[in-house]
Amino acid sequence: DPDLQCNFENGMCNWEQDVEDDFDWIRIWGPTPTVNTGPLKDHTTGTARGHYLYMESSEPRQFQDKAVLLSPLFNPSGNRNCIFRFHYHMFGKQVYKLSVLQRTVSNAKGWLLWYKFGNQGNRWIRQTLYISSSKPFQILVKGTVGDGFTGDIGLDDISFLGCTLYKGYLPTVSTTTSGTSVPVTLPTNNCTEREFVCRASGHCIQLIQKCDFRPDCSDKSDETACVKELCDFEDKNKCGWYQPALEPMSGNYSSRTTSIFKWELGRGANLYPGQEKHCPLTDHTTSTAEGRYLFSDSSNGEFGHTADIATPVISLTGPKCKIVFWNHMNGSTIGSLEVLSKTGNRTSKLWNQSGNQGPQWNRAEVFLGIHSNFQIIFRAKRGVSYMGDVAVDDIAFEDCSPLLIPGRPCSSEEFTCANKFCIPKDSLCDFVNDCADNSDESPTI
């Protein structure tokens, strides 16, 4: 079954990058960019033209950073085993660890099935694992970085035998007040496909109420897989922000190109000598070298390359919604930073800043107002050299929850909108669509 095997010649098949790890696996052909580590050729074709996945261990990767691949979901194995086969390549003095885990809950780390430590020589090695499960499950392949740049790990020719794909979703884990985790399947409900099921109660809410900055479920489960209202990037948490496409799409991607220009978590304490001239020494949240921020590392990529980081789809925002964030753009070859709004296939630019802005954090505010079913994207564009890192910190969505119909007549101090919302009378005729239907800005009033 082609759905159960992948040689990475035409993409990632149905494997996905985990968004909760530190960095991603890269699809490549030919040798990895660092000498004396990683494969010289793939396993499928045995040539430098064949593709495989690899884990890059060079800067800015740190010891024990993790890259995790997620398999599709599989049905319970029943009375027979599901056989998982793959080929790995662990060559280099500072190769650390490759491990395979299994999970039956979508937001759990899983349990260990197999692992291998250290340099295994410059060769592809086949591994076979026998998996049994009484529940639907998923396989995780995790690479862990060693303490140096000669630690690249390769992966190729992954296949499953005697396994069938599962069409549903794995349950999530909810944490009780005592701190223990309990698996949660969807409760009994009468919700339609156009409604969201609250995880604790089975209560149905409209899909437009999911990811709208207002918890409508008693357990707030409608806001869990969404962007957080405030993100300071401490605890390595990206708060739902993710990078839509990191792998090169074109087939003529050269293995010798520099590492991909992308967003990464950084902190002043990890800067190498000279980097402080174009990367923040301290974050904005804590003003210390230990605090974290998000930055696009211009020592990767080439002139004109762009790096995007996006929110999950936001269902609806209110009339006063705005994004406030702090940015750091210091260096002799700073490119630009843009804030974009994307609805379907249409993208519009909301804010733009180019060039050197000085060695300090600068506040920016972007008015959004009422939008529905859209994403916000931060796009960094690389300048002509490595001295152009762009950083952001403390990204906040302020006053973004949509208006609520109060269920009462508006008071004498309020204006009654055409859609029955109540707004303060001093919001009339102020060029802002406070009612969400423009009735407070009508020429008749």
Side-chain angles (χ1 to χ4, degrees):
D1 184 344
D3 285 339
L4 299 180
Q5 55 190 13
C6 193
N7 59 17
F8 304 109
E9 294 307 311
N10 298 305
M12 299 277 292
C13 308
N14 47 13
W15 286 77
E16 293 181 2
Q17 309 273 10
D18 191 358
V19 295
E20 300 293 326
D21 55 3
D22 302 308
F23 67 113
D24 285 346
W25 290 82
I26 299 169
R27 181 172 162 264
I28 196 175
W29 57 273
T32 64
T34 314
V35 295
N36 294 325
T37 186
L40 293 168
K41 53 193 179 182
D42 81 326
H43 177 264
T44 318
T45 69
T47 71
R49 305 294 299 176
H51 291 75
Y52 60 92
L53 296 189
Y54 90 103
M55 185 198 81
E56 175 60 67
S57 58
S58 303
E59 283 278 359
R61 300 278 63 88
Q62 301 168 37
F63 178 57
Q64 291 202 340
D65 274 3
K66 295 170 183 61
V68 179
L69 270 182
L70 304 176
S71 78
L73 306 182
F74 293 101
N75 282 312
S77 56
N79 296 327
R80 59 181 182 173
N81 277 325
C82 162
I83 301 170
F84 176 42
R85 294 178 300 198
F86 60 97
H87 291 79
Y88 65 92
H89 192 287
M90 298 175 71
F91 170 60
K93 273 187 183 175
Q94 292 155 318
V95 164
Y96 188 53
K97 185 167 76 168
L98 179 69
S99 44
V100 176
L101 303 100
Q102 179 183 354
R103 69 181 179 189
T104 53
V105 171
S106 65
N107 53 347
K109 300 211 182 298
W111 60 91
L112 190 65
L113 297 176
W114 173 93
Y115 70 92
K116 186 70 71 174
F117 268 113
N119 186 358
Q120 304 297 316
N122 191 2
R123 62 194 178 115
W124 286 100
I125 303 170
R126 174 166 145 160
Q127 181 64 40
T128 302
L129 301 177
Y130 296 88
I131 298 162
S132 61
S133 178
S134 59
K135 298 176 182 176
F137 67 94
Q138 185 175 40
I139 296 300
L140 292 73
V141 180
K142 179 167 71 176
T144 310
V145 174
D147 55 4
F149 59 86
T150 56
D152 296 351
I153 296 175
L155 202 60
D156 203 4
D157 292 339
I158 294 177
S159 62
F160 290 90
L161 187 66
C163 324
T164 56
L165 293 175
Y166 176 61
K167 301 297 184 190
Y169 298 95
L170 294 186
T172 52
V173 160
S174 93
T175 305
T176 62
T177 48
S178 63
T180 56
S181 293
V182 291
V184 178
T185 51
L186 284 182
T188 306
N189 63 82
N190 296 318
C191 304
T192 67
E193 285 186 1
R194 296 182 181 181
E195 293 176 313
F196 176 83
V197 186
C198 295
R199 298 294 185 255
S201 61
H203 180 65
C204 311
I205 62 169
Q206 295 176 347
L207 273 183
I208 197 79
Q209 295 175 283
K210 177 179 179 282
C211 296
D212 66 350
F213 300 103
R214 176 187 287 119
D216 297 284
C217 295
S218 58
D219 61 351
K220 303 183 179 179
S221 57
D222 56 312
E223 299 298 315
T224 50
C226 317
V227 69
K228 300 291 177 279
E229 280 187 87
L230 172 65
C231 197
D232 58 18
F233 303 106
E234 305 305 319
D235 305 323
K236 292 190 176 182
N237 189 343
K238 295 195 184 86
C239 317
W241 289 89
Y242 75 102
Q243 301 192 70
L246 279 180
E247 75 163 68
M249 299 306 291
S250 57
N252 62 356
Y253 172 70
S254 165
S255 64
R256 289 296 179 190
T257 52
T258 48
S259 297
I260 300 165
F261 180 57
K262 56 185 181 291
W263 289 96
E264 302 174 19
L265 287 175
R267 55 180 181 169
N270 295 342
L271 299 185
Y272 48 81
Q275 199 179 9
E276 70 280 351
K277 293 174 183 171
H278 51 91
C279 207
L281 273 169
T282 59
D283 75 327
H284 178 262
T285 318
T286 68
S287 296
T288 67
E290 295 301 318
R292 296 182 192 277
Y293 49 78
L294 193 68
F295 80 111
S296 55
D297 185 358
S298 53
S299 59
N300 296 327
E302 296 170 6
F303 173 57
H305 281 185
T306 57
D308 287 0
I309 192 159
T311 66
V313 172
I314 298 167
S315 292
L316 188 62
T317 52
K320 290 183 164 50
C321 180
K322 64 184 178 184
I323 307 171
V324 177
F325 64 96
W326 293 80
N327 61 87
H328 191 285
M329 299 173 70
N330 182 46
S332 55
T333 59
I334 291 282
S336 67
L337 175 64
E338 295 175 346
V339 179
L340 309 169
S341 170
K342 183 181 180 188
T343 307
N345 293 323
R346 195 178 79 252
T347 302
S348 53
K349 190 187 299 185
L350 305 176
W351 182 93
N352 178 66
Q353 183 90 271
S354 302
N356 191 344
Q357 304 296 317
Q360 73 284 328
W361 286 98
N362 298 302
R363 185 180 185 274
E365 186 174 304
V366 182
F367 179 73
L368 282 180
I370 294 167
H371 281 270
S372 61
N373 296 319
F374 72 105
Q375 293 172 276
I376 291 296
I377 298 169
F378 277 79
R379 174 172 294 169
K381 195 169 192 176
R382 188 187 183 278
V384 295
S385 86
Y386 66 90
M387 291 186 286
D389 298 341
V390 171
V392 294
D393 201 3
D394 294 333
I395 306 174
F397 289 84
E398 295 188 0
D399 298 322
C400 283
S401 53
L403 294 172
L404 269 178
I405 296 176
R408 58 168 175 79
C410 301
S411 71
S412 59
E413 302 300 309
E414 294 174 321
F415 171 76
T416 306
C417 302
N419 56 19
K420 301 292 188 280
F421 286 133
C422 303
I423 63 165
K425 277 192 173 166
D426 61 9
S427 295
L428 291 176
C429 306
D430 63 354
F431 302 101
V432 177
N433 178 16
D434 299 280
C435 279
D437 63 2
N438 265 319
S439 57
D440 57 311
E441 300 299 310
S442 163
T444 58
I445 60 167

